[in-house]
Amino acid sequence: MNLQPERALVAQACRVAAARGLVDGILGHLSLRVDDDRLLIRCRSDSDTGVAFTRPEDIRLIDFHGSPGASGELDGYRLPNELPIHLETMRAAPQQRQAVAHLHPPDVVAADLAGITIRPIYGAYDIPGAWLARAGVPVYQRAVLIRTPELAKDMVAAMGSAPVVICRGHGITSAAGTVQQAVLQAISLNELARMSLRVHWTGATPAEIDDADWNDLPDLGSAFNVQSAWRHEVARLNEGQS
């Protein structure tokens, strides 16, 4: 199986997440399921320089037991401590959750610690973000390193059917059908948190948008919400590296 395009995509998504400030240093990891039994995931090596500098070769193939998915896949590489986050999130909804992003966006963490519930306080400013928050963003209450299947299952239970979950004092987990969508959801969530914090800093309490407004906040389709948005993220990333 030729997985070079998939490795390149996951590595690119890691760099996009870092460029957006969703991770810092060496913390955070992304994964992509490639078949019923295996997934690609960002791993670490002794030469690792951080998520912002992820290379395709840092994306390794493993199975759902955490073993190499092919000969030599983990030679010189270590699995992330929080591998169970990816395995249990995918297992909970195999068809819908093909990609998982575990990130540490500071604005989301800060807003949650400040007691700010992430709600749809704006509309056309970011329509996918508004819809993401409409049903509420669940919170996993523990600030632990999620390195066991039991803890990961607890996090997934808190997540329910939502596409994202906030891990209190820790970060977030975002799951979607594609790695692009998983990262874009995280970007939208962090922007909602950032805007909520800004409003609170003024002394005001942000209110949700009016119920009547939802009828005029249409789904503009994946060609715009995902494909065009991702082209922008890649262009933005490349511009920053030029």
Side-chain angles (χ1 to χ4, degrees):
M1 180 184 293
N2 178 12
L3 294 174
Q4 287 310 115
E6 289 84 358
R7 293 181 202 265
L9 174 61
V10 177
Q12 181 186 72
C14 289
R15 298 193 300 272
V16 166
R20 277 290 194 167
L22 304 180
V23 292
D24 189 25
I26 61 173
L27 301 177
H29 24 82
L30 280 74
S31 64
L32 175 65
R33 189 171 194 154
V34 297
D35 57 32
D36 289 344
D37 304 310
R38 298 180 298 174
L39 64 149
L40 291 167
I41 188 164
R42 189 196 191 278
C43 294
R44 298 189 179 102
S45 69
D46 290 340
S47 61
D48 192 354
T49 54
V51 180
F53 306 101
T54 302
R55 308 160 299 178
E57 55 264 38
D58 298 325
I59 312 303
R60 313 308 295 179
L61 182 67
I62 65 168
D63 64 23
F64 274 76
H65 301 288
S67 299
S71 177
E73 279 292 332
L74 291 180
D75 290 355
Y77 281 89
R78 300 181 299 277
L79 291 167
N81 287 321
E82 294 182 310
L83 173 64
I85 287 177
H86 301 264
L87 301 183
E88 299 304 328
T89 300
M90 289 181 179
R91 283 177 174 140
Q95 301 304 314
Q96 294 78 26
R97 296 175 177 175
Q98 296 288 306
V100 175
H102 177 64
L103 307 168
H104 292 186
D107 287 317
V108 176
V109 174
D112 178 62
L113 291 176
I116 300 171
T117 300
I118 305 299
R119 300 297 297 163
I121 61 173
Y122 51 61
Y125 179 86
D126 175 12
I127 294 175
W131 281 100
L132 180 71
R134 189 181 187 189
V137 180
V139 179
Y140 176 53
Q141 302 288 338
R142 302 192 66 190
V144 296
L145 192 69
I146 306 173
R147 57 182 177 174
T148 68
E150 292 73 24
L151 287 171
K153 288 174 182 176
D154 287 345
M155 186 212 72
V156 171
M159 189 176 190
S161 61
V164 296
V165 61
I166 297 170
C167 301
R168 177 152 293 159
H170 183 176
I172 70 168
T173 297
S174 174
T178 67
V179 70
Q180 298 97 318
Q181 182 63 31
V183 174
L184 290 169
Q185 287 172 175
I187 292 171
S188 286
L189 181 63
N190 200 49
E191 185 59 26
L192 267 165
R194 181 181 294 116
M195 192 67 75
S196 297
L197 285 167
R198 286 179 177 177
V199 175
H200 274 271
W201 288 337
T202 70
T205 299
E208 292 187 28
I209 61 174
D210 193 277
D211 285 343
D213 291 343
W214 290 106
N215 291 332
D216 291 306
L217 291 173
D219 181 352
L220 298 177
S222 62
F224 183 79
N225 290 335
V226 179
Q227 296 172 32
S228 293
W230 193 251
R231 284 197 301 271
H232 164 74
E233 295 301 331
V234 173
R236 186 175 182 272
L237 175 66
N238 292 338
E239 179 67 21
Q241 294 175 343
S242 62

